[in-house]
Amino acid sequence: MNKKIFSGVQPTGNLHLGNYLGAIKNFVQLQSDKKNQCIYCVVDLHSITVKQDPRTLKQNTRETTAAFLASGLDPEKSIIFNQSAVSSHAEGAWILGCVSRMGWLSRMTQFKEKAGKDKEKASVGLYVYPVLMAADILLYDATHVPVGEDQKQHLELCRDIAQKFNNDFNSRNFLKVPEPLIQKEFARIMSLKNGLNKMSKSDPSDFSRINLTDDKDLIINKIKKAKTDTLPMPGKKDNLEKRPEVLNLLGIYSSLSNQNLDEVKSNFEGKNFSSFKENLSELLIDKILPIGKKIKDLLKDEKHLDNILKKGAEKADNLATKKINEMKKLVGF
Ligand code: AQP
């Protein structure tokens, strides 16, 4: 079956290993199958759900685009654009917002996590963020959406919204119900400081994550300081349920080296943590440093990046305008 792929990344700076292993690496793999139509979006409308400095936002949009290209996305093979350049996303979000139910959105755990204790002060945009995400996906009839595990609940909501729209407007299969594409193992990369928290751009501690643009010394230092525990390196048979930090580091090794967890455990069984950490740093330097270098090079030519986004937006706009016009007709506009 030919797949239509849609996914996005927020231009909120500090693109990290979690974004890469949970999402972008998968984007590149999907692009390599010629039968797939891939659309990858820098979701700048999503990023303003929390306060952004306008000049930094523009630069972060370029940086996320550079990270896409440096990781292997090719504008000749995939549509690459920024969300705010295609106005159908905002229009679609309004229509779908009127179909969505408050109760559905109230159950979204990401809002609860991001809004924290003071929900009253969170933006309305942060609350309705998953509706905009549904519009992003449904406008392109995406069949598959590659995301990290943290976005699974939003994808389920998107499916509910699509079905309700189709029912409400008597338009069976008009909005295509998409499937999530989530890696089977290590779909959620955790913080280097606390194995129970997700690795995140907005974590105040830079030592909680490996950024794609970190240099060699910083990578070595961050892995050296990454939390482990006092027990020895686990063997193949050891259960790691109660050792989240160790599981996370082994998981990172496994994802980067394309080996399964048991193989990684066997390779390091009986060795000490410092030797494992040295190996992990070397692997990160081998896989991530070249991406960081490319990002920095690409950022030297802002016009080139802006041009890629502009051309991508023209292609995306053609597809999205058709769909939003049909959607408006169904609604009665
Ligand atoms: N830690 C993670 N492990 C696996 N996948 C992850 N993703 C994010 N963090 C991890 C995936 O990366 C894609 C883009 O994410 P995003 O930029 O849209 O926003 P996010 O999920 O909110 O990521 P962050 O880093 O946690 O950003 P902040 O701190 O700004 O909220 C998504 O597919 C996501 O699943």
Side-chain angles (χ1 to χ4, degrees):
M1 176 189 150
N2 292 357
K3 292 185 185 133
K4 270 197 179 177
I5 311 289
F6 182 95
S7 197
V9 175
Q10 294 188 66
T12 35
N14 295 331
L15 240 69
H16 53 74
L17 192 63
N19 299 130
Y20 178 70
L21 292 177
I24 302 174
K25 190 175 163 219
N26 214 358
F27 297 178
V28 180
Q29 247 156 19
L30 289 160
Q31 174 193 257
S32 67
D33 185 339
K34 282 195 185 122
K35 288 201 292 295
N36 294 339
Q37 183 191 18
C38 298
I39 306 174
Y40 297 121
C41 186
V42 182
V43 287
D44 49 5
L45 294 177
H46 282 283
S47 71
I48 62 162
T49 52
V50 294
K51 196 165 172 27
Q52 303 292 333
D53 169 62
R55 253 187 299 171
T56 315
L57 176 59
K58 202 166 191 102
Q59 199 48 27
N60 282 342
T61 299
R62 292 187 182 117
E63 190 166 330
T64 305
T65 311
F68 280 179
L69 303 179
S71 304
L73 291 185
D74 177 350
E76 298 297 323
K77 295 182 184 156
S78 299
I79 297 180
I80 297 171
F81 74 108
N82 62 311
Q83 192 185 22
S84 63
V86 177
S87 57
S88 307
H89 289 251
E91 278 187 278
W94 178 257
I95 296 174
L96 296 178
C98 296
V99 168
S100 309
R101 303 294 95 177
M102 290 286 286
W104 298 354
L105 284 161
S106 310
R107 285 195 282 278
M108 295 298 113
T109 52
Q110 195 183 72
F111 174 76
K112 290 180 197 159
E113 279 163 22
K114 286 199 175 178
K117 285 193 190 111
D118 206 351
K119 278 206 304 252
E120 299 291 311
K121 285 202 178 140
S123 74
V124 175
L126 189 66
Y127 187 68
V128 294
Y129 170 120
V131 177
L132 176 59
M133 179 166 159
D136 299 340
I137 296 164
L138 300 173
L139 276 174
Y140 298 96
D141 293 333
T143 57
H144 293 83
V145 185
V147 281
E149 207 261 337
D150 58 314
Q151 292 294 336
K152 191 170 172 225
Q153 198 186 27
H154 291 167
L155 240 309
E156 280 158 9
L157 179 76
C158 170
R159 291 165 58 90
D160 290 342
I161 294 174
Q163 277 158 345
K164 185 156 190 308
F165 182 95
N166 291 344
N167 278 339
D168 286 359
F169 296 99
N170 224 348
S171 55
R172 212 160 157 246
N173 286 336
F174 169 68
L175 293 180
K176 305 285 178 280
V177 179
E179 296 290 334
L181 280 180
I182 298 175
Q183 326 240 36
K184 286 193 185 71
E185 283 198 303
F186 307 110
R188 187 185 287 246
I189 303 297
M190 310 310 278
S191 156
L192 299 179
K193 298 192 93 180
N194 179 345
L196 300 176
N197 291 343
K198 159 179 113 126
M199 186 178 282
S200 172
K201 298 183 203 108
S202 52
D203 191 314
S205 167
D206 193 50
F207 273 68
S208 68
R209 61 182 164 260
I210 301 286
N211 300 308
L212 296 184
T213 48
D214 283 347
D215 64 25
K216 191 174 163 184
D217 290 344
L218 199 51
I219 292 175
I220 294 172
N221 216 353
K222 284 182 176 179
I223 294 300
K224 227 183 234 169
K225 296 216 166 114
K227 190 173 168 198
T228 50
D229 55 33
T230 51
L231 296 170
M233 277 300 288
K236 198 170 164 184
K237 292 204 182 97
D238 290 323
N239 185 330
L240 296 179
E241 228 170 81
K242 296 208 169 101
R243 303 179 68 185
E245 286 83 13
V246 174
L247 178 63
N248 187 41
L249 292 181
L250 288 168
I252 292 173
Y253 194 100
S254 154
S255 294
L256 281 171
S257 62
N258 295 319
Q259 289 175 37
N260 69 41
L261 182 62
D262 280 350
E263 272 176 84
V264 180
K265 275 176 170 174
S266 297
N267 288 347
F268 291 99
E269 185 162 4
K271 305 218 167 103
N272 53 30
F273 268 110
S274 58
S275 136
F276 166 68
K277 282 184 165 184
E278 268 170 36
N279 277 276
L280 178 58
S281 295
E282 273 169 30
L283 185 60
L284 280 162
I285 288 164
D286 187 42
K287 301 280 180 184
I288 299 300
L289 211 64
I291 297 178
K293 277 194 184 136
K294 266 192 212 154
I295 293 176
K296 287 173 197 158
D297 278 347
L298 283 159
L299 280 170
K300 288 179 195 152
D301 191 348
E302 291 180 352
K303 266 199 188 137
H304 175 62
L305 294 171
D306 292 348
N307 211 21
I308 285 175
L309 289 176
K310 188 165 171 272
K311 282 193 180 150
E314 281 162 12
K315 291 183 205 163
D317 194 46
N318 271 336
L319 300 171
T321 302
K322 261 190 217 137
K323 194 77 183 176
I324 197 78
N325 285 343
E326 288 174 42
M327 212 163 152
K328 285 179 175 172
K329 227 188 245 170
L330 284 168
V331 171
F333 293 153

